[in-house]
C-alpha cells in the first residue's frame, strides 16, 4: 500500500480548508497513493477561539464534506481525516471519516477526549463509545484512531486483535515541553507493541507540531514530516508485517485479554 501524509495548517474558514484538502487529494492521487491521511479537525481552527470547533461544525451532508466527496469520485483512493459534526445536547462529535469514490465508507467518533495539559476538549465535544470496524485499503486492514487515543494502548491493541495491519491517527498534537518526544515515543510504541504500521498525521501551525510520522511494525520510522505543510509518501509492505509477527509474536504471547470497549 502506498500512503500519503498530508499535513497542513488548518484555517478558520472552512472554504479555505476544503480547497487545501482537495489540492492534497489531487496531489496524492497523482502520486499513486492508495490512502491519504489528513490531520484532525480539518474543518476549522482558530487558536484564539477554542469554541470554533463547535460553532463551525457541519453535518456530513453540509458543504465541506460534500465538496470532498465530489473530489473523491472516479478513483479508488481512500482519504481519511477528522471533522467536527453536530451532536445531540449542543456539542459536537470529533468524527474520523473515510471517503472513497464519492462515498463515506467508515466513521469513528473519537473515544478519548483531550482533557489534559490545561485543555478541555469535552467542553465542546461528546465522546464516542464504539470501536469502529476495520477498513480495507489495497488489501490491508486499517484501524481508526484519533490523536489523544494514542496515549491509550488498549485501543490500539483491540484494533490489532481485530486484525488491523495499519493504524491511522489523524492528529492536532499541541506544542509544549517534551510534547514532540511524547508524540514520537507513543506512535512508535503503538506500532512496535502491536507489530503493525502506524500512520500518524499532525496539523501544523502556531499551536501544533506537525511532525507526521509513519512507523513500521518493528518500530522503524520510514517517513517523516517536519513542522511545515508537506505531503509525504510511504510504502507499506505486508511482508514486513509478516516478518515482524514471525520474529516478534507479541500478539500470540500475550497473557491478558483487552477490555471490551463497545457499548452494550
Amino acid at each position: 500500500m502506498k500512503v500519503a501524509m498530508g499535513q497542513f495548517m488548518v484555517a478558520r474558514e472552512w472554504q479555505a480548508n476544503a480547497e487545501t484538502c482537495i489540492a492534497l487529494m489531487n496531489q496524492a492521487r497523482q502520486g499513486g497513493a492508495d490512502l491519504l491521511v489528513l490531520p484532525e479537525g480539518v474543518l476549522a481552527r482558530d487558536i484564539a477561539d477554542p469554541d470554533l470547533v463547535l460553532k463551525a461544525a457541519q453535518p456530513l451532508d453540509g458543504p465541506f464534506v460534500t465538496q470532498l466527496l465530489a473530489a473523491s469520485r472516479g478513483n479508488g483512493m481512500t482519504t481519511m481525516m477528522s471533522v467536527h459534526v453536530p451532536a445531540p445536547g449542543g456539542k459536537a462529535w470529533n468524527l474520523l471519516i473515510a471517503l472513497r469514490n464519492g462515498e463515506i465508507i467508515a466513521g469513528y467518533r473519537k473515544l478519548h477526549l483531550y482533557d489534559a495539559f490545561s485543555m478541555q476538549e469535552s467542553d465542546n465535544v461528546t465522546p464516542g463509545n464504539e470501536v469502529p470496524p476495520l477498513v480495507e485499503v489495497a488489501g490491508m486492514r486499517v484501524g481508526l484512531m484519533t490523536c489523544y487515543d494514542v496515549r491509550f494502548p488498549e485501543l490500539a491493541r483491540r484494533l490489532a486483535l481485530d486484525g488491523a495491519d495499519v493504524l491511522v491517527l489523524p492528529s492536532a498534537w499541541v506544542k509544549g515541553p517534551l510534547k514532540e518526544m511524547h508524540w514520537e515515543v507513543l506512535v512508535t510504541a503503538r506500532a512496535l507493541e502491536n507489530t503493525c504500521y502506524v500512520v500518524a498525521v499532525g496539523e501544523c501551525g502556531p499551536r501544533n507540531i506537525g511532525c507526521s510520522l509513519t512507523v513500521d511494525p518493528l518500530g522503524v520510522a520510514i517517513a517523516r514530516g517536519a513542522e511545515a505543510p508537506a505531503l509525504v509518501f510511504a510504502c507499506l509492505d505486508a511482508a514486513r508485517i509478516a516478518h515482524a509477527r514471525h520474529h516478534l509474536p507479541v500478539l500470540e504471547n500475550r497473557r491478558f485479554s483487552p477490555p471490551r470497549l463497545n457499548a452494550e
Side-chain angles (χ1 to χ4, degrees), residues 131 153-155 157-158 161 254 256-262:
V131 177
E154 60 272 19
L155 177 56
R157 175 55 54 89
R158 165 65 188 276
L161 293 177
R254 66 191 173 87
F256 292 89
S257 297
R260 300 303 298 180
L261 298 182
N262 280 355

Side-chain angles (χ1 to χ4, degrees), residues 77-125:
M77 186 182 76
T78 303
T79 301
M80 297 185 181
M81 73 204 76
S82 145
V83 296
H84 289 91
V85 301
K91 293 188 178 184
W93 282 304
N94 187 337
L95 181 68
L96 194 166
I97 55 174
L99 315 180
R100 185 190 297 157
N101 195 21
E103 297 182 357
I104 299 173
I105 62 170
Y108 158 63
R109 296 170 181 168
K110 186 178 182 182
L111 278 167
H112 301 100
L113 301 185
Y114 186 53
D115 289 356
F117 291 108
S118 302
M119 300 189 72
Q120 213 55 28
E121 186 178 10
S122 63
D123 284 349
N124 291 314
V125 177

Side-chain angles (χ1 to χ4, degrees), residues 122-192:
S122 63
D123 284 349
N124 291 314
V125 177
T126 297
N129 59 11
E130 293 184 352
V131 177
L134 305 181
V135 179
E136 185 165 329
V137 180
M140 289 188 175
R141 292 161 295 184
V142 179
L144 309 180
M145 302 170 62
T146 303
C147 200
Y148 192 49
D149 283 337
V150 77
R151 291 188 181 272
F152 300 87
E154 60 272 19
L155 177 56
R157 175 55 54 89
R158 165 65 188 276
L159 292 167
L161 293 177
D162 284 348
D165 304 303
V166 183
L167 300 176
V168 163
L169 188 76
S171 302
W173 201 261
V174 180
K175 295 177 180 178
L178 303 178
K179 291 296 294 301
E180 290 189 14
M181 183 192 73
H182 292 188
W183 170 253
E184 182 157 351
V185 167
L186 289 162
V187 171
T188 302
R190 298 296 86 84
L192 181 57

Side-chain angles (χ1 to χ4, degrees), residues 191-208:
L192 181 57
E193 71 195 3
N194 294 297
T195 52
C196 62
Y197 285 95
V198 177
V199 182
V201 179
E203 197 256 356
C204 58
R207 192 191 72 171
N208 297 324

